[in-house]
Amino acid sequence: MKKIVIFIWLFIGGISVFAQDRPEDFHVRVIKNDGTVFEGYNETRFTNYLRPYITAVSISNEFAGKSIKYNGNEVKRIEFTGETQDSLPMIFEAVIPQTKLPNLFNKNPKPYKEPVFLRLIYEGENVRGYAMPYTDHTMIPGRRTILYTWRYFYLTKDSDIAVAYWDDTDGTIPKMEKVMKFYFREFPELQQLVDRKEITPEMFRENPAIVLPIMDRTFQSSEK
């Protein structure tokens, strides 16, 4: 399958089609886990920051008609057929992602208990990339800051769990290169690119999807 790379800085505002009640903006092609394919109209707002992990979607035969709810165990992929503001495909897939970013004390955070619909941002032979809305709460003395941002994941072909590898943030991150290498620990060649400054913190923060094609190209399966 042809790889699809969606540059994040292009699509951050690209899911705002729901602000307009045009039927074509809600029209979707639905692929179920049993291989069944049908078309309809979606009612779910996938960019709901207050509830970013969408586990079920409502699909109706007619725009604003009576809908049927499907969860991620029934539906594996939803493709919006209308044009988007960024002219790039808007596709959501049901996957089981980690609930938080890995850290030194918890390198394998627990996953969600059920599949979550994430936006597909990269589709390769070995690795797929996803993003979902994320609300970052930062607490400092006397102030609480809420940032509406994005969390990014990669899913390798030999895994059932999508690994969280980055949260967009406006703040300064000390020892950013070290942090990047930790998130890329499954991909030694990518770590080497960081050491050689061929992938810099500035490049990565501007476009977190930049590493996905490299992950795909250098992926080594753990299967024997």
Side-chain angles (χ1 to χ4, degrees), residues 2 4 57 67 78 143 162 164 174-175 179 188 208 212:
K2 184 178 180 181
I4 301 174
V57 295
S67 63
I78 296 176
R143 189 175 67 180
K175 300 181 179 179
V179 172
L212 294 170

Side-chain angles (χ1 to χ4, degrees), residues 42 45 136:
N42 168 64
R45 295 179 180 270
D136 178 46

Side-chain angles (χ1 to χ4, degrees), residues 50-110:
L50 298 180
R51 187 178 180 275
Y53 46 96
I54 302 298
T55 59
V57 295
S58 296
I59 308 293
S60 58
N61 290 328
E62 299 179 353
F63 179 63
K66 185 177 181 180
S67 63
I68 298 176
K69 182 174 288 189
Y70 300 91
N71 61 38
N73 293 312
E74 299 170 291
V75 168
K76 69 177 182 179
R77 183 173 169 120
I78 296 176
E79 303 171 350
F80 282 80
T81 63
E83 293 184 0
T84 61
Q85 290 185 355
D86 50 24
S87 299
L88 295 169
M90 189 159 74
I91 299 170
F92 292 84
E93 292 186 338
V95 298
I96 298 181
Q98 293 177 332
T99 55
K100 60 180 65 176
L101 278 176
N103 56 55
L104 292 175
F105 304 101
N106 186 6
K107 293 184 178 181
N108 293 293
K110 66 179 180 180

